[in-house]
Amino acid sequence: NAGVTQTPKFRILKIGQSMTLQCTQDMNHNYMYWYRQDPGMGLKLIYYSVGAGITDKGEVPNGYNVSRSTTEDFPLRLELAAPSQTSVYFCASSYPPVGSNQPQHFGDGTRLSIL
Amino acid sequence: KQEVTQIPAALSVPEGENLVLNCSFTDSAIYNLQWFRQDPGKGLTSLLLIQSSQREQTSGRLNASLDKSSGRSTLYIAASQPGDSATYLCAVKPTGTASKLTFGTGTRLQVTL
């Protein structure tokens, strides 16, 4: 079982460049999430989606955009990369909502450096 | 605003020792609390989830307790093994929110031979 798959695993960007972090899950989960984890810090929620066509902001949405055209995919886009966006990005999925007795499944992360 | 703190930030113990990891949160109005494990270069794996009405949950050598009124949770690991070496994160789900977890900063555990 693939679970939650994130691509790429590593990426270096120049300031001002744009890119899309891909996330796909094969568990037919309705809920999907994007987090960022800075060194020595906990995870902070960027955006989440409760189903195809529905997205909402998390704690730190500025500088990011998301879309959810299918149940499986939840890409995260950086339009104008800034050094403050250097971080490790995690995608996760769950069914039903996070915090129920069902666990949240995480991808292995994308390590992004912006120079 | 909910804040979650984990102390200590790092811990090193010899193999076979029992140990306790601590998690504290500032707002006791939580729906549940989860403990996760994170291996280097990997994502998070859910270990235990405690509902707000529960006092503890057990899975194998792991036991998590919750004292909601004092804003504290502990993760007890019995007979530690080198394979337990990882970062352990706790996260709370506040009541009234749709899907938002608030994470602690984690405790990095090293179990030595």
Side-chain angles (χ1 to χ4, degrees):
Chain A
N1 291 334
V4 179
T5 302
Q6 291 184 237
T7 57
K9 294 188 184 300
F10 305 93
R11 184 71 182 269
I12 297 175
L13 283 182
K14 293 182 179 179
I15 296 172
Q17 286 185 321
S18 62
M19 78 162 293
T20 299
L21 282 66
Q22 301 292 345
C23 175
T24 186
Q25 52 92 8
D26 62 358
M27 296 171 283
N28 201 32
H29 286 168
N30 288 339
Y31 287 70
M32 296 187 73
Y33 317 85
W34 275 106
Y35 295 91
R36 60 177 287 174
Q37 185 179 33
D38 298 323
M41 305 294 289
L43 278 71
K44 294 187 177 181
L45 183 65
I46 305 171
Y47 271 95
Y48 67 100
S49 169
V50 302
I54 306 170
T55 62
D56 205 351
K57 295 178 180 179
E59 185 181 358
V60 289
N62 292 342
Y64 307 95
N65 282 301
V66 294
S67 60
R68 185 91 182 273
S69 58
T70 67
T71 299
E72 295 78 18
D73 300 309
F74 190 40
L76 177 72
R77 183 156 181 86
L78 283 69
E79 292 292 351
L80 290 171
S84 62
Q85 294 177 305
T86 294
S87 189
V88 181
Y89 291 84
F90 288 101
C91 178
S93 71
S94 69
Y95 178 82
V98 67
S100 71
N101 288 328
Q102 297 300 317
Q104 202 172 29
H105 298 261
F106 282 78
D108 286 345
T110 294
R111 281 144 189 82
L112 179 63
S113 294
I114 299 166
L115 307 174
Chain B
K1 179 184 175 183
Q2 177 74 268
E3 293 184 1
V4 181
T5 304
Q6 291 186 246
I7 296 173
L11 179 65
S12 180
V13 300
E15 181 180 12
E17 274 203 5
N18 303 324
L19 61 100
V20 174
L21 306 180
N22 298 296
C23 172
S24 61
F25 46 96
T26 56
D27 187 346
S28 62
I30 65 170
Y31 181 69
N32 62 42
L33 183 144
Q34 289 181 267
W35 282 94
F36 293 88
R37 169 182 174 139
Q38 184 178 25
D39 292 293
K42 296 293 186 181
L44 278 66
T45 300
S46 181
L47 297 173
L48 290 165
L49 182 150
I50 310 176
Q51 300 284 4
S52 61
S53 58
Q54 297 175 321
R55 296 287 293 183
E56 64 179 63
Q57 282 284 341
T58 298
S59 176
R61 294 182 294 107
L62 305 179
N63 176 278
S65 69
L66 175 64
D67 184 343
K68 197 174 66 168
S69 62
S70 67
R72 294 180 181 176
S73 175
T74 62
L75 179 66
Y76 175 82
I77 302 177
S80 59
Q81 302 171 358
D84 295 329
S85 298
T87 297
Y88 292 81
L89 295 140
C90 68
V92 299
K93 180 181 184 296
T95 56
T97 59
S99 300
K100 302 176 183 180
L101 291 179
T102 301
F103 282 83
T105 54
T107 294
R108 188 170 65 255
L109 172 66
Q110 183 175 13
V111 181
T112 58
L113 293 171

